[in-house]
Amino acid sequence: GDTKVQLVKVGTQFFEECKKRGTDKELLYNKNGRPCVLILKLKYKGKRHKFVVPIRSNISSNTPKKQYFSLPTNSATKTGNRHGLHYIKLFPIDNKYIQKYRIDNNNYMLQIKSIIDKNEKEIVTSCQNYLCEYEQGKGSLMTPDIDGILSWIS
């Protein structure tokens, strides 16, 4: 079957739109285009949407384990911090803001991609579980404005 996850970048245009519309709260913006994992279908409030989950170099070590998926550290990861997919930072996205993330000759990113592919089911399930919590008002205050973003992208 088709893989449900892909490594992507989110175009700066998306962040500019969010700023313009006041829906940029808690978004992790990175000028060079942070690698994110695109999840093709997650259910939120009864509808399916595309979501992206940012990869973060520095997740505080006291972050609850269920809020992130751990990956091998990179050069930017500070001692004691974790590197991984930060579930609570996920946000909905529209195709036109998605850009390819090139990893052809980057062994580290190829390794990351293979770990993500192998653990696809766990990652998708964790994100879906988190979205359900968020929907019930039990999400983190550090989560981007999902409803606000959906109000103008969908």
Side-chain angles (χ1 to χ4, degrees):
D2 261 2
T3 168
K4 292 183 191 67
V5 296
Q6 292 163 17
L7 269 185
V8 298
K9 274 192 320 200
V10 175
T12 47
Q13 195 197 344
F14 172 79
F15 297 99
E16 283 156 20
E17 282 294 326
C18 282
K19 223 185 200 97
K20 219 165 44 191
R21 298 165 192 265
T23 55
D24 56 342
K25 174 184 88 71
E26 288 297 340
L27 280 175
L28 292 176
Y29 174 60
N30 174 331
K31 250 212 308 274
N32 307 327
R34 166 192 298 280
C36 293
V37 173
L38 172 69
I39 298 181
L40 295 182
K41 287 197 179 102
L42 288 174
K43 233 182 162 144
Y44 181 68
K45 296 193 171 169
K47 287 203 181 113
R48 292 195 174 279
H49 302 280
K50 288 185 175 175
F51 276 84
V52 276
V53 190
I55 296 179
R56 289 188 88 171
S57 304
N58 287 290
I59 299 172
S60 147
S61 56
N62 53 20
T63 303
K65 198 61 194 99
K66 64 170 191 157
Q67 289 189 358
Y68 67 97
F69 177 82
S70 206
L71 291 167
T73 54
N74 68 9
S75 53
T77 309
K78 296 182 182 78
T79 314
N81 281 0
R82 313 272 181 265
H83 178 243
L85 278 179
H86 207 177
Y87 299 141
I88 65 170
K89 289 292 189 184
L90 87 180
F91 56 91
I93 196 74
D94 181 60
N95 276 346
K96 67 175 174 210
Y97 300 110
I98 296 169
Q99 299 172 351
K100 280 216 177 325
Y101 189 80
R102 290 246 161 266
I103 57 168
D104 312 334
N105 302 315
N106 183 331
N107 283 333
Y108 174 74
M109 282 314 291
L110 289 165
Q111 181 196 0
I112 295 291
K113 173 139 181 30
S114 90
I115 294 170
I116 288 167
D117 289 344
K118 267 197 222 77
N119 295 278
E120 178 184 335
K121 219 175 143 177
E122 181 193 334
I123 291 167
V124 173
T125 304
S126 299
C127 289
Q128 185 60 74
N129 290 346
Y130 179 69
L131 266 183
C132 293
E133 272 181 33
Y134 183 84
E135 211 177 299
Q136 293 158 18
K138 295 188 216 140
S140 163
L141 295 170
M142 288 166 59
T143 299
D145 182 1
I146 294 175
D147 296 301
I149 295 169
L150 281 175
S151 72
W152 63 268
I153 65 168
S154 48

